Amino acid sequence: MSRGSPAGFDGSDGPHYHQPQYPGQRATAYCHCPAPSLGAWAARGENESLLGAPNSRYGTTELGQIHTRLEEKLGPSKIIFYIASLLTFGAALGYFLNEPLNAARHDSIRRQWAREESDRTIIRQAWAAETQEHEELQLRMHRDIILIEARRTESEVRWEAERTSMEAERREWAREREQHARRIEEERRERARRIEEERREHARRIEEERREQIRKRERITWDGLEPRNCLRYGVKEYTATLAHVPLGFDAIEECSKKSVMIHGKEWLPYHCENQGICGRATGHWQVDVNEASCSPWWSYFKDKGCVESGIRRHEAPLENLPDDANWEVICSTTPANIGGMHYGGPTSCVNWGQHGIWGIWLVNDNTCR
C-alpha cells in the first residue's frame, strides 16, 4: 500500500498517478475504486450482522449461506438498492478524496524535486568551484607558458647572440688560419727558393772548381818514365815522377789517379811513393803486356825417372833470364807443358852455377810403382 493513500474497497493501493512523459508535465491522479462485493461486506461485518444484530457465527458461515439469508430478509430489489447506494457513496468518496491525495502526491513530488534541485544546486556549485579552479589553473598554466615562452625567447636570443659571436670567431679563426697557412706557404716557397739558389750556387762553384781542377790537372805530367827490373815472369816494373802538381793538391792522391801510356795502353800506378818534396811523387807500374825481356823459357826437359811411388821427376834449364832479375822469382813463375799438362811453374828451382838455373818438376805418374 502506498504512503498517504487509503485502501480501496478491494484492498488496492488507492489513487493511481499518471506519470508525466515530458519535462514540465504535471502528474494526474485517477481513482480506481471498484464496487464492493458481498464478500467484502461480510468481511467488514465481522461480529455485526447486516441489520446491526450480533452474529455469533461470523467467520464460520460460508458465502453462499450469507447470500441466501440476505435474499430471504431483504429481497432482490433492496439488495440492488443497497449496492447502488454503496457504489454512489464510493464514487463520491473517491471524488472528494482524489484532490487531497493528488495534492499529497504532488507535494511529495515537489519535495523530491526540491531535494533534486538542491542536489543539482550543490552539484552546480561544486561544478562552478571546479570550473573556477580549472580556469585559475588554466590562467596559471597560461602565465607559466607565457613565462616559459619569454624565458625560451630570451634563451633563444642569448643563444643566437652566442651563435653569432661563435660564427664571427670561427670566421676570424678561419681567416687567421688562412693567413697563417699563406704565410707558411710563402716562407716555404722563399726557403725553397733560397735553398735552390744556394744549391745552384754551390753546384756552380763545384763545377767551376771541378773545371779549374781539371785545368790544373791537365798541367800535371809524368816525367822520366823508364822500365826497371822484372818482377816475375812476363811482368816488368816501370817508374816515373809526377811533376807540376798545383799548390793545394795532394801529390799522392793525384799520383794514384794519374795514368800513363805504356805499350799503347793506359796504366794506373799500383804504388805511389812520396819523394818528400812538395808536389812531387814517384809512381810504380807493373806491366804484364808485351814484356819479352821478362819472358824466359825452358830449353829442354830431362826425364829423371820415378823418384817414389806414383811420382816422376823432370828437369829443364831456364834460358834468356835477365841479368838484373831475381832468378828465384822468375824461375818459380815461368810456366811449362809436360806430358800434355800445363804447369804454372816448377816444383823448385836450383842454381847450378855455370850450368845455369834449372827447374825441377815432381809430377804424378801412375806408371811409377
Side-chain angles (χ1 to χ4, degrees):
M1 181 180 295
S2 302
R3 184 182 60 182
S5 299
F9 293 104
D10 58 351
S12 63
D13 291 337
H16 296 271
Y17 292 87
H18 178 71
Q19 299 296 329
Q21 297 181 357
Y22 306 98
Q25 183 180 1
R26 296 181 60 183
T28 57
Y30 63 94
C31 181
H32 179 69
C33 301
S37 62
L38 293 175
W41 281 107
R44 294 184 57 184
E46 295 180 356
N47 296 323
E48 184 179 353
S49 66
L50 183 62
L51 298 179
N55 188 2
S56 61
R57 295 185 297 172
Y58 177 75
T60 61
T61 304
E62 296 180 358
L63 183 62
Q65 293 176 355
I66 295 173
H67 181 68
T68 301
R69 289 176 182 176
L70 287 174
E71 288 181 351
E72 291 177 353
K73 291 181 179 182
L74 298 179
S77 58
K78 290 182 179 181
I79 293 173
I80 294 172
F81 173 77
Y82 285 127
I83 293 173
S85 299
L86 290 174
L87 290 174
T88 303
F89 176 77
L93 181 61
Y95 175 79
F96 288 109
L97 293 177
N98 186 36
E99 186 65 24
L101 292 176
N102 287 337
R105 181 63 177 173
H106 292 167
D107 291 339
S108 176
I109 291 172
R110 288 190 187 94
R111 286 193 298 272
Q112 181 68 23
W113 285 357
R115 286 193 299 271
E116 292 178 357
E117 184 65 23
S118 177
D119 294 339
R120 285 195 293 271
T121 301
I122 294 172
I123 292 173
R124 289 192 192 97
Q125 292 175 356
W127 174 253
E130 291 180 0
T131 303
Q132 183 178 1
E133 183 180 356
H134 181 68
E135 290 177 354
E136 292 177 357
L137 178 61
Q138 285 184 338
L139 181 60
R140 288 197 301 272
M141 291 176 63
H142 182 66
R143 291 175 181 174
D144 293 340
I145 291 173
I146 294 175
L147 181 59
I148 291 172
E149 287 293 330
R151 291 177 179 176
R152 186 177 64 83
T153 303
E154 182 181 356
S155 299
E156 289 179 353
V157 171
R158 185 172 64 254
W159 292 343
E160 182 65 22
E162 292 178 356
R163 188 185 65 80
T164 304
S165 177
M166 290 177 63
E167 289 292 335
E169 291 180 359
R170 198 175 287 115
R171 288 193 296 270
E172 180 66 20
W173 292 345
R175 186 182 63 81
E176 291 179 358
R177 284 197 302 270
E178 184 178 357
Q179 292 179 354
H180 182 67
R182 188 183 303 112
R183 185 169 59 253
I184 290 177
E185 180 64 19
E186 291 177 356
E187 292 177 355
R188 186 189 65 79
R189 291 179 179 177
E190 180 64 20
R191 185 167 57 253
R193 185 185 62 80
R194 289 197 303 268
I195 292 174
E196 181 64 19
E197 290 181 356
E198 292 176 357
R199 186 189 65 79
R200 291 178 180 177
E201 181 66 20
H202 181 68
R204 186 183 61 80
R205 288 197 303 268
I206 290 177
E207 181 63 20
E208 290 180 356
E209 291 176 358
R210 187 184 66 80
R211 292 178 180 178
E212 181 66 21
Q213 289 178 359
I214 290 174
R215 288 194 296 269
K216 290 180 179 180
R217 284 192 177 94
E218 288 176 352
R219 295 195 293 267
I220 299 175
T221 59
W222 289 107
D223 291 345
L225 180 63
E226 59 179 358
R228 303 297 293 272
N229 300 330
C230 293
L231 299 179
R232 56 186 179 276
Y233 176 82
V235 178
K236 184 181 285 291
E237 183 181 22
Y238 286 79
T239 61
T241 300
L242 190 66
H244 310 293
V245 178
L247 185 65
F249 281 65
D250 189 349
I252 299 299
E253 181 180 356
E254 297 301 323
C255 171
S256 63
K257 295 179 180 179
K258 185 70 174 176
S259 62
V260 68
M261 183 71 70
I262 302 174
H263 300 319
K265 180 181 177 180
E266 294 285 342
W267 296 83
L268 288 174
Y270 78 95
H271 175 63
C272 289
E273 183 181 358
N274 192 350
Q275 294 184 358
I277 301 174
C278 181
R280 298 183 68 85
T282 300
H284 298 263
W285 290 265
Q286 293 182 358
V287 180
D288 57 358
V289 178
N290 298 328
E291 293 297 336
S293 61
C294 294
S295 302
W297 61 87
W298 301 106
S299 178
Y300 55 92
F301 291 89
K302 289 184 178 181
D303 186 357
K304 291 298 187 175
C306 296
V307 294
E308 56 182 285
S309 178
I311 300 297
R312 185 178 295 275
R313 176 173 175 162
H314 294 272
E315 296 179 357
L318 186 63
E319 301 292 340
N320 195 32
L321 179 65
D323 295 336
D324 56 352
N326 186 335
W327 65 270
E328 292 179 343
V329 175
I330 298 299
C331 174
S332 62
T333 57
T334 301
N337 292 319
I338 302 174
M341 298 293 295
H342 179 77
Y343 297 93
T347 304
S348 61
C349 295
V350 294
N351 187 353
W352 286 343
Q354 61 180 358
H355 298 289
I357 305 299
W358 286 71
I360 301 172
W361 289 264
L362 298 177
V363 299
N364 295 326
D365 191 346
N366 293 332
T367 62
C368 294
R369 302 296 180 186

